Amino acid sequence: MQLIDGNAIAESIIEELTAEVGALEGKKPTVAFIRVGDDPASVSYVRKKERTAERIGIESRLHLFPENVSKEELFAQIDALNGDPDVNGILIQAPLPKHIDETETFNRVAPGKDVDGFNTVNIGKLCQEDGSGFVACTPAGIVELIDRSGIETEGKHVVVLGRSQIVGKPAALLMMRKAVPGNATVTVCHSRTKNLPEVTRQADILIAAIGRPNFVTGDMVKDGVAVIDVGINRVEDASKKRGYRLVGDVEFEAVSPKASQITPVPGGVGPMTVAMLMHNTLRAFKAAQ
Amino acid sequence: MQLIDGNAIAESIIEELTAEVGALEGKKPTVAFIRVGDDPASVSYVRKKERTAERIGIESRLHLFPENVSKEELFAQIDALNGDPDVNGILIQAPLPKHIDETETFNRVAPGKDVDGFNTVNIGKLCQEDGSGFVACTPAGIVELIDRSGIETEGKHVVVLGRSQIVGKPAALLMMRKAVPGNATVTVCHSRTKNLPEVTRQADILIAAIGRPNFVTGDMVKDGVAVIDVGINRVEDASKKRGYRLVGDVEFEAVSPKASQITPVPGGVGPMTVAMLMHNTLRAFKAAQ
């Protein structure tokens, strides 16, 4: 069994991006972050994105709004950023307060600056295999992990566990497209699937994105499977200072001995999302030149 | 084995639409057809759509352009129709001449008038399970056939053979969505799939859209499968006056004895597409009121 080191792979991508941005003459890429409220997880995610941008040489701007911001005010900010030629990418940190519709907000971002890949146009382009769109950072990170770990997908059976709009479905579409990585036979299963272990046991590559701690047990996979565990779940753990530990959707101890390759949690898909955000920002910058 | 009579089901839909349009007071729905060149198949398809519209009470307008029309001229017509409040739906008959990009042309149609469902925004909405979009007529017709034939999809294994943007992928997305019909475990397989018969034999419902005559043979399905055959292929047949006959992607004689339900070709999915186009046009009309 070989561990897929998401931290190391993300680090390689960041180094590649740093070299590429360093070689740019004149203007630097710029990404704008919008954060609403002070949710500690959001604060921490945005800070991490700012730091990574800084390392690479991507400029970032942070726009903060209070929890009770009006939709009009928020949208006015998005519109201003859409119209600002110095801004290449716009990221709106989720979750948003309940009085603001997330889909509507994500769609307010100009498709060409939607480095998060949540705009309906970019999701449509993914489905149409139109490479000019932006792929959302988590599924894009999954594909990079697979590619950089030398996992072949062509003709392989990829089983995606979970059918969410932000992970399961885009990951499935990426794996079935006419490209490398891609060209896989893809099965999407979920909470309504009957005989789930029978389905998951067919997987040459299993992408687990169902959001349930330790859901995939040893009997649910076949020998030699490659496992991408997208889940990041908190489970109570009194032995930890913060009272919990993070586990994936896959029971690592039971599944890893059967796997050819597997991502740990944390340190698997997680670090890839920020790297892919920066990758998308540089692409948006280049497209704007 | 029960035959799924696409002609009869399409007829029911057309009757329902006729009743609904008949009950409208004041304005009637209007669909505009754009046809470029004189390809006999295109002439015949558009005529069929005009006749069905007329039966239902939907007004239609036909805009004809010569094969050598410029992109600018064609797009000016689309723009005029987009801006015309009396036009609810716009259909551009494919194929277009080679000098005009089809994706770009389909995307020129305003998403709210894109009754063909080929606009990137409508494909994205399908992926996002946003019901405000238009679903392309062939996959929408497949879902209607399944629904009106009493075929349950929840928790069932749907195998989609073919990964095209206009049939395979949207049909897969529709079958996996959180809805009825839907909630199915979905496998998409295609020309690169290894051990294809092993995959298709798992299907409770098989949607064949690979475009190869008689590709699915009797040994590729299990007893009790429900089969939706999307293929319409010409094979030479000297015994026919026109020199060919139409066959599906499924070898009907071998597969039908094992099937619980199966669509014939012709007379299965084919008649549904025109009915769904009219359904979409009426929806576009209602949304515009």
Side-chain angles (χ1 to χ4, degrees):
Chain A
M1 186 274 295
Q2 195 188 322
L3 209 61
I4 300 173
D5 186 342
N7 284 314
I9 293 173
E11 190 59 31
S12 314
I13 294 170
I14 288 168
E15 281 167 17
E16 290 163 20
L17 294 172
T18 305
E20 219 177 321
V21 171
L24 292 173
E25 288 171 12
K27 274 201 295 186
K28 295 289 178 193
T30 299
V31 60
F33 301 119
I34 295 179
R35 202 189 80 209
V36 178
D38 295 309
D39 172 62
S42 292
V43 171
S44 149
Y45 287 141
V46 171
R47 192 174 298 144
K48 173 117 185 83
K49 290 166 188 172
E50 284 181 292
R51 283 188 190 147
T52 307
E54 194 182 350
R55 268 192 64 195
I56 295 172
I58 291 175
E59 285 184 31
S60 66
R61 301 185 190 170
L62 178 56
H63 300 272
L64 297 175
F65 290 94
E67 189 79 16
N68 63 355
V69 63
S70 72
K71 182 176 120 174
E72 290 67 31
E73 204 183 338
L74 182 65
F75 281 20
Q77 178 67 73
I78 297 172
D79 292 349
L81 294 169
N82 283 340
D84 184 342
D86 290 337
V87 172
N88 307 112
I90 302 170
L91 177 128
I92 298 156
Q93 183 64 45
L96 292 173
K98 280 188 185 148
H99 66 283
I100 295 176
D101 184 77
E102 287 195 352
T103 303
E104 194 185 350
T105 307
F106 296 147
N107 277 329
R108 191 79 177 194
V109 176
K113 297 189 178 188
D114 173 39
V115 287
D116 229 3
F118 289 163
N119 186 300
T120 304
V121 169
N122 283 316
I123 295 170
K125 284 186 174 182
L126 170 60
C127 195
Q128 291 181 307
E129 304 190 18
D130 175 344
S132 73
F134 291 107
V135 178
C137 299
T138 301
I142 293 168
V143 172
E144 279 299 308
L145 278 183
I146 287 173
D147 194 28
R148 292 180 185 239
S149 303
I151 299 167
E152 285 190 15
T153 59
E154 176 141 342
K156 295 291 163 62
H157 196 159
V158 175
V159 175
V160 179
L161 184 55
R163 54 176 163 169
S164 73
Q165 292 162 36
I166 54 171
V167 184
K169 281 199 263 187
L173 290 167
L174 288 163
M175 288 294 107
M176 75 178 70
R177 69 188 166 161
K178 291 182 186 124
V180 176
N183 281 326
T185 302
V186 179
T187 297
V188 177
C189 50
H190 44 78
S191 55
R192 304 290 182 100
T193 294
K194 284 176 191 158
N195 305 322
L196 187 62
E198 219 171 90
V199 178
T200 54
R201 270 197 294 269
Q202 296 181 38
D204 298 310
I205 301 165
L206 179 67
I207 299 173
I210 198 165
R212 298 191 194 174
N214 297 321
F215 182 80
V216 177
T217 48
D219 61 311
M220 288 170 70
V221 299
K222 73 174 176 191
D223 280 327
V225 64
V227 179
I228 307 292
D229 187 352
V230 188
I232 300 180
N233 310 289
R234 290 183 179 192
V235 295
E236 281 187 36
D237 187 340
S239 76
K240 303 278 178 190
K241 211 164 72 182
R242 55 189 179 185
Y244 67 87
R245 64 194 155 88
L246 295 177
V247 301
D249 290 351
V250 176
E251 197 178 19
F252 189 84
E253 289 70 24
V255 170
S256 58
K258 299 179 83 172
S260 57
Q261 300 198 49
I262 185 169
T263 58
V265 175
V269 176
M272 295 296 291
T273 57
V274 179
M276 298 317 292
L277 178 69
M278 299 303 147
H279 166 90
N280 283 350
T281 301
L282 180 54
R283 261 198 55 207
F285 171 82
K286 286 191 207 163
Q289 301 317 301
Chain B
M1 188 274 294
Q2 196 188 320
L3 209 62
I4 299 173
D5 185 342
N7 284 314
I9 293 174
E11 190 58 32
S12 312
I13 294 170
I14 289 168
E15 281 168 16
E16 289 163 21
L17 294 171
T18 305
E20 219 178 320
V21 170
L24 293 172
E25 288 170 12
K27 275 201 294 186
K28 295 289 179 192
T30 298
V31 60
F33 301 119
I34 294 180
R35 203 190 77 210
V36 178
D38 296 308
D39 172 62
S42 293
V43 171
S44 149
Y45 287 141
V46 170
R47 191 175 299 144
K48 173 117 185 83
K49 290 166 187 170
E50 285 182 292
R51 283 187 190 146
T52 308
E54 194 183 352
R55 268 192 64 196
I56 294 171
I58 292 175
E59 285 185 31
S60 66
R61 300 185 190 171
L62 179 56
H63 301 273
L64 297 173
F65 290 94
E67 191 78 16
N68 65 355
V69 65
S70 71
K71 184 176 118 173
E72 291 66 32
E73 203 183 341
L74 183 64
F75 281 19
Q77 178 67 72
I78 297 172
D79 293 348
L81 293 169
N82 283 339
D84 184 340
D86 290 337
V87 172
N88 307 111
I90 302 169
L91 177 130
I92 298 157
Q93 184 64 47
L96 292 174
K98 282 192 181 140
H99 66 283
I100 295 176
D101 184 78
E102 288 195 352
T103 304
E104 193 185 350
T105 307
F106 296 147
N107 277 330
R108 191 79 178 195
V109 176
K113 297 189 177 187
D114 172 39
V115 288
D116 229 3
F118 289 162
N119 186 300
T120 304
V121 169
N122 282 317
I123 294 169
K125 284 185 173 183
L126 170 60
C127 194
Q128 292 181 306
E129 304 191 18
D130 175 343
S132 73
F134 291 107
V135 178
C137 299
T138 301
I142 293 169
V143 171
E144 278 298 308
L145 278 184
I146 287 173
D147 194 28
R148 293 181 185 239
S149 302
I151 299 167
E152 286 190 14
T153 59
E154 175 142 343
K156 295 292 164 62
H157 196 158
V158 175
V159 176
V160 178
L161 183 56
R163 54 177 163 167
S164 73
Q165 293 162 36
I166 54 170
V167 185
K169 281 200 261 187
L173 290 167
L174 287 163
M175 287 293 107
M176 73 178 70
R177 70 187 166 162
K178 290 182 186 125
V180 176
N183 281 325
T185 302
V186 179
T187 297
V188 177
C189 49
H190 43 77
S191 55
R192 303 291 181 100
T193 294
K194 284 176 191 158
N195 304 322
L196 187 62
E198 219 171 88
V199 177
T200 54
R201 270 197 294 269
Q202 295 181 40
D204 299 311
I205 301 165
L206 179 67
I207 299 172
I210 199 166
R212 299 191 193 173
N214 297 321
F215 182 80
V216 177
T217 48
D219 61 311
M220 287 172 71
V221 299
K222 72 175 175 190
D223 279 326
V225 64
V227 179
I228 308 292
D229 187 351
V230 189
I232 300 180
N233 310 290
R234 289 183 179 192
V235 295
E236 281 188 37
D237 187 340
S239 76
K240 303 278 179 190
K241 211 164 73 183
R242 54 189 180 185
Y244 67 87
R245 65 193 154 89
L246 295 177
V247 301
D249 290 351
V250 176
E251 197 179 18
F252 189 85
E253 289 68 26
V255 170
S256 58
K258 299 179 83 174
S260 57
Q261 300 198 48
I262 186 168
T263 58
V265 175
V269 176
M272 295 296 291
T273 58
V274 179
M276 297 318 292
L277 178 69
M278 300 302 148
H279 166 90
N280 283 350
T281 301
L282 179 54
R283 263 198 54 207
F285 171 82
K286 286 190 206 163
Q289 302 315 301

